[in-house]
Amino acid sequence: MLPTERLDYSAIPQRPKLTLPDGARLVVWVIVNVEEWDPKEVMPRTVLTPPAGGAPMPDIPNWAWHEYGNRIGFWRMLEVIDEHRIRAVLAVNGSAIGRYEPIASAAVERGWEFIGHGFTQRNMQKVADERDDIRKTAAAIRDFTGRNPRGWLGPGLTETWETPDLLVEEGYEYVCDWVLDDHPLLLKTRTKPIVSIPYTQECNDVAMMLIQHHKACEYYDRAVDQFDQLYRDAAGSARIMALVVHPYIMGAPHRLKYFRTALAHIGAHPGVLFWTGEQILDWYQAQRR
């Protein structure tokens, strides 16, 4: 199904007003992406290219760069998230739950929401059996948390033509890959609709630091500018804002303070709710009713 067949165009000024509880105007959700990179595969991201080019294996520098995030960077970010008393969302590879069990346990202890992020960190178009990958990811989360995941974030936001259909058929209720709105919306599938919850490519440390090669302070500047405008927009109807971080990026020593100060700026404003994806989902479904 083409993207244009899954949803109709909708101009935001022409929609019914969305109202948050207690006079709030903006929801911010914080998504922490935890992944497992297979040292036998080409690294999904690189910080250092080999002297002679190519993709040699083992790629120790780039595997270790990522591994530092899960050994050290995650725990730095966890302190910041705890400081602000935020219940975050863990977007996690199914395979990473066992590999990095202390991370998963810390998220469970804090009541974080777990959402599927592929069973391994690779493009969904390269997965041999997409349904099985989606199903295995749900099983890994369910076995560890005792709950089925309700949300899905494709690795690198990748999808096949069938992904939303398969997600619904495997019990998922929302997806984050469709970054095209500030409101939740419904995507058509071959069975029943799935909710798309606003994610972000702009306030995403992968885009800023690894693709656009900005200084670390760009995270603060962009998060604050994005928040200030959405907060203004939300005077007429509620808005959703996502903040995306990866332990090997924003968990680096020279970047962490910009994540902390961005959260402090946002949290200082009245009428801001820090919610999880499933809280946004339940609120949106109630609004539609």
Side-chain angles (χ1 to χ4, degrees):
M1 194 180 297
L2 291 171
T4 49
E5 295 173 310
R6 294 200 185 274
L7 78 168
D8 298 322
Y9 172 74
S10 170
I12 198 164
Q14 298 172 353
R15 301 175 195 169
K17 180 179 179 179
L18 294 179
T19 305
L20 290 166
D22 302 321
R25 59 199 290 175
L26 180 71
V27 173
V28 177
W29 66 312
V30 177
I31 305 98
V32 180
N33 289 262
V34 171
E35 303 153 355
E36 182 181 18
W37 290 9
D38 187 344
K40 300 187 298 296
E41 301 283 344
V42 175
M43 293 295 100
R45 305 280 181 192
T46 59
V47 67
L48 191 67
T49 56
M57 291 186 210
D59 186 351
I60 295 300
N62 289 306
W63 181 85
W65 169 59
H66 168 266
E67 187 75 0
Y68 177 91
N70 291 336
R71 295 168 69 93
I72 309 295
F74 173 83
W75 306 99
R76 283 198 189 103
M77 294 199 310
L78 186 63
E79 288 185 9
V80 171
I81 293 168
D82 284 350
E83 284 171 17
H84 292 276
R85 301 179 182 178
I86 293 170
R87 183 179 167 223
V89 173
L90 190 73
V92 63
N93 293 157
S95 65
I97 294 174
R99 168 69 181 171
Y100 304 111
E101 186 275 337
I103 290 178
S105 291
V108 168
E109 290 166 7
R110 288 159 174 78
W112 288 16
E113 179 187 1
F114 283 58
I115 66 174
H117 191 42
F119 191 74
T120 58
Q121 191 62 15
R122 66 181 64 192
N123 293 0
M124 294 307 294
Q125 298 94 334
K126 295 182 178 180
V127 171
D129 185 334
E130 186 180 16
R131 184 186 295 276
D132 183 62
D133 190 273
I134 290 169
R135 186 176 288 166
K136 285 195 305 182
T137 305
I141 292 173
R142 181 174 60 251
D143 290 346
F144 194 82
T145 68
R147 296 184 60 206
N148 283 314
R150 302 177 72 186
W152 175 270
L153 171 69
L157 282 70
T158 56
E159 292 192 0
T160 71
W161 298 112
E162 282 192 298
T163 303
D165 308 305
L166 296 172
L167 290 173
V168 167
E169 291 163 12
E170 295 302 322
Y172 289 84
E173 299 175 66
Y174 75 86
V175 63
C176 312
D177 303 334
W178 294 60
V179 185
L180 44 68
D181 213 296
D182 293 334
H183 285 166
L185 52 84
L186 294 180
L187 300 176
K188 299 172 187 174
T189 77
R190 59 196 175 202
T191 52
K192 62 182 181 179
I194 189 169
V195 175
S196 170
I197 292 182
Y199 190 70
T200 180
Q201 299 181 67
E202 299 286 352
C203 286
N204 186 318
D205 54 2
V206 166
M208 277 185 258
M209 304 303 155
L210 306 190
I211 298 173
Q212 299 163 357
H213 303 293
H214 286 289
K215 292 177 63 177
C217 60
E218 176 71 10
Y219 195 90
Y220 171 83
D221 291 342
R222 194 178 299 190
V224 165
D225 289 346
Q226 182 126 326
F227 168 79
D228 288 350
Q229 183 58 51
L230 287 172
Y231 192 78
R232 180 185 178 92
D233 294 343
S237 181
R239 296 292 194 273
I240 311 297
M241 175 177 170
L243 284 175
V244 178
V245 288
H246 296 70
Y248 65 100
I249 305 174
M250 290 313 293
H254 64 286
R255 294 194 184 105
L256 185 75
K257 70 178 181 180
Y258 299 108
F259 178 50
R260 175 183 283 113
T261 52
L263 290 177
H265 175 88
I266 292 168
H269 287 69
V272 175
L273 302 174
F274 284 98
W275 276 0
T276 63
E278 62 183 349
Q279 287 176 295
I280 298 169
L281 174 70
D282 291 339
W283 162 77
Y284 176 66
Q285 290 176 328
Q287 289 280 297
R288 291 187 63 248
R289 289 193 293 268

